[in-house]
Amino acid sequence: MQAASFLPYNAPKLTASESQSRALALEEALASRRSVRSFSDKPVAREVIDSLIRTASSAPSGAHKQPWTFCAISDADLKQQIRTAAEKEEYENYHGRMSEAWLEDLAPFGTDWNKPFLTIAPWLIVVFKRAFEITPDGEKAKNYYVNESVGLACGFLLTAIHQAGLVSLTHTPSPMNFLHKLLERPANERPFLLIPVGYPADDAQVPQLQRKPLSEVAVFY
Ligand code: IYR
């Protein structure tokens, strides 16, 4: 095993009041983030997507294995193939595979099996988790806390998307194996989330939701 070499950590030097105002500024910026289901077809430059993915990939991960692959798709034909396959699965979900209680919980969001955003959004980012790695000599090498790590990277990604003035949807077609097949991913990768990225449609609407107040989500000891 290789020993890590260490460098001094150059922490940003902020006063307590600068810390507070920067915390509040980010809180306010992220308070306007919403999951959006109606996209514009306005293009987004490849360079922006590169940057969003670099930000996502800066997330912490178990033993710094970075157990993720981000597949960014702008090809119209591939987006159509993904839409067709996703809608086939979703049709089954909405017509029998989801419980009555689940359908009732989703009713306020107005979702159904139709997924037009999969062809309208200029980019689809399909996030894969890497369950393990294959070493150059063909051995399996373990990754650690893969779900936690990839979840964190997706959080960074959604934050970066919002910061860039773009919108996203955390879409979870189920089952997702069709993505593995269509994108010809290797055996160590499993689809994790499908995230359309772009601008909202001019007439985009979002459901009226309340976020839980601090008192309901935090306990101080
Ligand atoms: N995957 C389905 C159903 C769905 C499930 C949940 I939980 C949501 O928050 C939204 C939708 C779909 O994408 O329609």
Side-chain angles (χ1 to χ4, degrees), residues 37 90 93-94 98 102-103 105-106 109 111-115 117 169-174:
R37 291 183 169 76
E90 293 294 359
N93 293 337
Y94 282 88
M98 291 190 320
W102 193 350
L103 290 170
D105 277 339
L106 283 183
F109 301 92
T111 59
D112 63 23
W113 63 273
N114 288 286
K115 303 297 173 193
F117 51 78
L169 176 66
T170 32
H171 181 41
T172 51
S174 170

Side-chain angles (χ1 to χ4, degrees), residues 38-43 120-122 198-202:
S38 7
F39 281 79
S40 153
D41 62 1
K42 184 176 166 180
I120 298 173
Y199 291 94
D202 286 337

Side-chain angles (χ1 to χ4, degrees), residues 67-86:
W68 44 65
T69 302
F70 298 88
C71 295
I73 300 131
S74 62
D75 180 82
D77 184 54
L78 190 50
K79 287 195 296 183
Q80 181 60 60
Q81 290 180 50
I82 290 172
R83 177 175 172 183
T84 302

Side-chain angles (χ1 to χ4, degrees), residues 26-46:
L26 184 62
E27 177 187 349
E28 196 185 325
L30 283 178
S32 63
R33 187 208 54 79
R34 295 298 307 265
S35 291
V36 168
R37 291 183 169 76
S38 7
F39 281 79
S40 153
D41 62 1
K42 184 176 166 180
V44 171
R46 161 70 196 270

Side-chain angles (χ1 to χ4, degrees), residues 8-34:
Y9 175 59
N10 293 313
K13 290 200 171 51
L14 300 179
T15 64
S17 90
E18 283 168 337
S19 284
Q20 189 178 17
S21 62
R22 284 177 57 159
L24 286 169
L26 184 62
E27 177 187 349
E28 196 185 325
L30 283 178
S32 63
R33 187 208 54 79
R34 295 298 307 265

